[in-house]
């Protein structure tokens, strides 16, 4: 079965894509819509198999990245 990738904010699905990179790009674009993205560094962490969570950190701060509410989930696509 083909896999699709679903970008979520919290538990709300917002976007689906055929590739992981496209879904992650859409999730990052939505997360940074009202945020000065140049002041932050971002990375994706594979939280669990098939689930990636967006993490961010302000560039002026040292230390760990923090979890955001954005994630991408791999989902098997079924058609009726």
């Amino acid at each position: 079965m083909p896999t699709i990738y679903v970008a979520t904010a919290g538990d709300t699905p917002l976007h689906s894509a055929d590739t992981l990179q496209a879904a992650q790009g859409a999730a990052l674009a939505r997360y940074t819509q009202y945020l000065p993205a140049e002041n932050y560094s971002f990375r994706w962490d594979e939280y669990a198999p098939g689930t990636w969570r967006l993490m961010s950190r302000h560039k002026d701060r040292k230390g760990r990245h923090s979890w955001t509410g954005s994630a991408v989930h791999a989902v098997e696509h079924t058609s009726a």
Side-chain angles (χ1 to χ4, degrees), residues 24-59:
Q24 287 176 337
L28 181 60
R30 186 178 192 305
Y31 183 77
T32 59
Q33 184 176 5
Y34 303 108
L35 183 71
E38 64 275 0
N39 295 337
Y40 291 84
S41 64
F42 300 97
R43 70 179 178 92
W44 288 94
D45 180 56
E46 190 167 6
Y47 179 72
T51 301
W52 295 266
R53 301 265 318 260
L54 179 63
M55 301 184 77
S56 69
R57 178 181 69 196
H58 196 277
K59 289 184 177 178

